[in-house]
Amino acid sequence: MQGFTGFMWLLSMALIVFSGFALLDAATRREDAYRAADKKTKPFWLIILALAFVVNLIFNILSFLPIIGLIATIVYMVDVRPALRGLSGGGRSRGGSSSDGPYGPYNGGR
């Protein structure tokens, strides 16, 4: 029984970290990027993700509300975040190398 309790605690901590990361990511994105990506507004996602974070802090993982919060966090991470990153050019999703400049590859002055 002690192993199960430890596993559930680790799972609960993972959910708290996951929802906290999603909340911080949503807070750092620009307001107009949400509208440009044709997603809900930034305050909507901040409220939903903040509620998911608080619910994960308060309730046991086996109750119903953390599962709803997990679903909302997954929707943000799988659907909204990639759309926002695509608009802002975050990451290396465009397929260029690290030596690419704004007008093409940098060739060292040759």
Side-chain angles (χ1 to χ4, degrees):
M1 192 67 172
Q2 195 174 18
F4 180 73
T5 304
F7 174 75
M8 294 308 286
W9 182 83
L10 283 175
L11 190 60
S12 178
M13 289 298 114
L15 282 178
I16 290 170
V17 169
F18 185 56
S19 61
F21 174 76
L23 179 62
L24 288 175
D25 185 72
T28 59
R29 303 290 175 181
R30 294 187 349 224
E31 169 78 31
D32 58 341
Y34 288 87
R35 290 189 305 267
D38 198 28
K39 303 297 176 188
K40 297 284 186 188
T41 63
K42 182 177 182 174
F44 172 83
W45 281 109
L46 288 177
I47 290 170
I48 294 296
L49 294 172
L51 285 173
F53 181 72
V54 169
V55 162
N56 285 331
L57 283 175
I58 294 174
F59 291 98
N60 187 2
I61 187 70
L62 295 176
S63 63
F64 190 68
L65 290 175
I67 303 302
I68 295 172
L70 175 63
I71 291 169
T73 305
I74 290 173
V75 166
Y76 175 80
M77 293 297 284
V78 171
D79 183 38
V80 178
R81 185 172 186 251
L84 296 175
R85 289 183 73 193
L87 287 175
S88 65
R92 295 191 183 193
S93 61
R94 289 184 267 174
S97 72
S98 62
S99 65
D100 283 355
Y103 304 110
Y106 177 73
N107 59 8
R110 288 180 254 164

